[in-house]
Amino acid sequence: MFICRPDYIWAVNRPIALIPILLLCSSWWLWAGTKADSLAGVIADAGHDTVLIKAYNDLCEEIYSSEVDSALQLCSLVVQLTDKYLAGATGALKTFCFRERAQALNNLGAMLDYKGDSKNSIPLYKQSLELSMAINDLKQVARTFNNMGYAYKLLGNVTEALNHYEKSLEIKRQLNDSAGIANTLNNIGIILENNGELDQALMNYRQHLEISARQKNKRNMATALNNIATIYKKQKKYSDALDLYTQCMKLHEETGNKRGIAQVWNNMGNVYSLQDSVEKALEYYRKAYELAEAVREKSFIAIMLNNIGSCYGKLGRYALGESYSLKGLKVAREVKNPEWIRNAAETLKNIYTGWGKHKQALEMYDLYILMRDSMSNEQSRKSAIRQQIRHEYEMKEAEARAAQEKKDLAHRAESEKQKLVIYSVIGGLCLLSGFSFLLFKRFRITQRQKAIIEKQKLIVDEKNKDITDSIRYAKRIQDAILPSEESIRALLPDCFVLYKPKDIVSGDLYWVEQWGNKVFFAAVDCTGHGVPGAFMSIVAHNLLNEALLEQGIDRPALILNAMNKKLSRILKQRPDAKVRDGMDIALCAIDRKTLLLEFAGAYNPVWIVGKESREVLEIQGDKQPVGHFTEGELKLFSHREVQLKPGDCVYVFSDGYADQFGGEDGKKFKSRRLRESLASIAALPLREQKQSLEATFESWKGRLEQIDDVCVMGARF
């Protein structure tokens, strides 16, 4: 074991400093025994440089986790020294240089990963891999594949990360490298955990812990305990998680692993944050951040800065929260990690929203959406599951082989006669043959079943594609009947339309037309959504056009009466009818000269926000839908008028926005919140009003599914 001291770094340029290095290397060669004998001639020919190469690599292995910059210099010296010999080296000397250079390049890549520069570590790993493969150094090849997997994980390329971990695991199993197998299983577990496969990840972590405990490897045991505790945290087993983190902390302190201590402090802070103990969480996050700064771990620094900022935001200390989270965003951008950028943007959005800085909140929300959309992991999750199934199968197969070999050995040891041994072997072979035959038959059956299933899947996929294509074509038709943005702007210059179908096609409809000096506009909510709702929306569009443009009916209430009568006849509405569909509508007509607003509504109201008062005036619609049949006659809709003032805003909408579930408790947004939102943004330009409404809706909805079509229309006169 070598201890790093600063004066060792410049030993290559100061001959007197070679004495402690040579003494250390001599001890190593004596310990190596036969290995030293095989290279004795090489060292004699090459002089002291080969001794230094080996010493520098060994020193780097000892200090890489505590003195990263010094270790980087040592590895660079190894690369420089091996350059002297590789041009003309042959035989054992060439093999020695290849092996040591590959180790140095691999360590350089690993330390760049620690410093958050994984993009530049990949080429170093590829060079190391080429050298190791050239001399068939499988142990180094496995290490390099494992490190490449970690680098690709840091870069967000999950597919490549799993691919390289799998290659590493395959070689480690060939070498029966238990410690290496444990580490790679742990790395695969991390990816499974990140993709939501918690049970599969927990299985990997426990295998890692079991192997590490047998080997009494405290560093690896701490890693496994930390990861198992993280799973418990996600499963809301907070007490169990804190107990394991405490055990993990003791192991890190015993091994002097500052990086590990920082990670555990951060994780304990996460547990307290989930329990709403914000002050306690902040205490642990600050400890973690100070230690991360000391070890210069950029990845931890980005995470912990954001965590500290989030805590200050929750405590209402928005300026401090903004300061820390902006620093975290800067570091996340430096290391180009989309996940950390997304998390920092989300924290800043929440801080600015609570602070009342809506413009900055909207900017951070746009960044959050951009990063979120770039992190599609469904394909990676499926790939991880496939890889895990393969791992489990191979492990079970290996365990079965080992059990069978142990059984055969015990049987032979107990057998006293050669004849019984022979009979036993023959009997075993017969059983194995029979079992193989059964397995072969089962395999043939499975293959046939697989072929049938794949054929059926192709049929189902084709039908689904046909149905989806048809619905998408229906969307083109529906889009064609909706007024274009240019036609809306021509009639309502200062307006917006927020239109978010739940499915490909929508049951909501917005409509704008002109008749004389009046501009008519409406938000229509038809029964259902998707394909049924889309059918009804086309009917609604045609009925509105027919009443206004063909029949010349220019009063909203009379238009709804005409639509009611016609729709009831179309749907054959009567007391015993099975079809009870209809539509809710808020229909307005505005005289552009006098600003007199005429309104009629079927369930849905119109809201008017005054330019000066900023209070919301609600005009209720009638408590009946269009298409409603009542005891043999149709009930007429009421006519209402309001005199607008210049600068007043008018809003019509369907119920999809207010009915959306979300927020911390998964409750409905409700009309009250929508009213308050519109009142607070009515002074903004209409384009910014739309952006604010959309951001509020997405933030409220979160990860929940949109439950209905959404249509909100606003105009300023």
Side-chain angles (χ1 to χ4, degrees), residues 120-175:
N120 290 319
S121 70
I122 298 293
L124 295 174
Y125 289 138
K126 290 181 178 179
Q127 294 178 45
S128 174
L129 201 60
E130 183 178 358
L131 293 170
S132 301
M133 287 180 171
I135 60 174
N136 199 31
D137 187 352
L138 294 182
K139 193 169 184 179
Q140 185 61 52
V141 170
R143 280 200 209 102
T144 307
F145 273 136
N146 185 78
N147 288 354
M148 290 179 77
Y150 180 70
Y152 278 119
K153 172 183 171 292
L154 292 179
L155 292 171
N157 192 336
V158 177
T159 302
E160 281 299 315
L162 285 171
N163 182 36
H164 285 81
Y165 282 149
E166 176 62 24
K167 290 178 180 178
S168 175
L169 190 60
E170 183 178 355
I171 296 172
K172 288 173 179 177
R173 283 179 173 152
Q174 292 176 16
L175 299 174

Side-chain angles (χ1 to χ4, degrees), residues 515-536:
W515 185 263
N517 290 329
K518 295 181 181 180
V519 175
F520 291 77
F521 58 97
V524 186
D525 184 359
C526 299
T527 301
H529 49 75
V531 174
F535 276 118
M536 289 296 294

Side-chain angles (χ1 to χ4, degrees), residues 198 200 235 333 433 685:
L198 300 185
Q200 294 290 339
Q235 294 174 339
R333 280 173 164 161
S433 298

Side-chain angles (χ1 to χ4, degrees), residues 475-491:
K475 175 177 173 55
R476 292 173 57 188
I477 297 173
Q478 188 178 49
D479 290 344
I481 71 171
L482 294 173
S484 65
E485 183 175 352
E486 292 77 10
S487 63
I488 295 175
R489 295 290 181 192
L491 300 177

Side-chain angles (χ1 to χ4, degrees), residues 192-194 196-203 231 234-235:
L192 288 168
E193 177 187 344
N194 292 340
E197 300 297 331
L198 300 185
D199 291 336
Q200 294 290 339
L202 191 58
M203 186 184 303
I231 295 290
K234 292 181 177 180
Q235 294 174 339

Side-chain angles (χ1 to χ4, degrees), residues 652-672:
V652 291
F653 42 84
S654 66
D655 60 3
Y657 197 111
D659 286 348
Q660 178 61 46
F661 290 98
E664 294 181 357
D665 300 325
K667 296 181 178 179
K668 283 187 177 182
F669 191 80
K670 294 186 178 180
S671 298
R672 176 181 56 79

